[in-house]
Amino acid sequence: GSALAMLATPAAASRFGAVGATCCFSLANGFAALHPSGFKASYMDVTRSATGVVTGVGNTLASLAAFVGPVAVGLLLQRLGSWAPSFCAIATLQLLAALAFARFSTATPVDEE
């Protein structure tokens, strides 16, 4: 959902202007708001005895992404002069993450394997 909205943003902005871009951003944020309900529950499902450690590692990775993301987008914008490559990169990362989750996720906690 959010990946498709990000991919549609440049086209919507060129066709409908700020209104189109705003609608796509709103859709992307709406879909992104659905993410925490999935991964926060997954933290608890991964392990029963070390939930705090798994949550800490997950939050650390999220903090690193929150630091690196704006820098990477700034570099892309500076070098390529357009927002479209940034939107495509974000959408690609979201799709790859969804595929990795679909491939490697399991409902069996690690402690029980």
Side-chain angles (χ1 to χ4, degrees):
S2 58
L4 293 176
M6 291 301 287
L7 287 174
T9 300
S14 66
R15 181 172 173 131
F16 302 109
V19 172
T22 302
C23 288
C24 286
F25 280 133
S26 297
L27 277 172
N29 282 330
F31 283 118
L34 299 174
H35 294 174
S37 60
F39 73 78
K40 294 288 185 186
S42 293
Y43 283 162
M44 305 307 157
D45 291 339
V46 169
T47 179
R48 295 206 160 109
S49 61
T51 303
V53 172
V54 172
T55 303
V57 169
N59 287 339
T60 299
L61 292 173
S63 295
L64 289 173
F67 173 76
V68 172
V71 174
V73 169
L75 287 173
L76 281 172
L77 187 59
Q78 184 180 30
R79 290 192 180 169
L80 302 176
S82 171
W83 284 96
S86 297
F87 296 145
C88 289
I90 292 167
T92 301
L93 288 173
Q94 288 178 339
L95 290 172
L96 289 173
L99 290 173
F101 180 80
R103 169 66 179 94
F104 297 111
S105 67
T106 178
T108 306
V110 176
D111 331 38
E112 294 180 8
E113 289 182 346

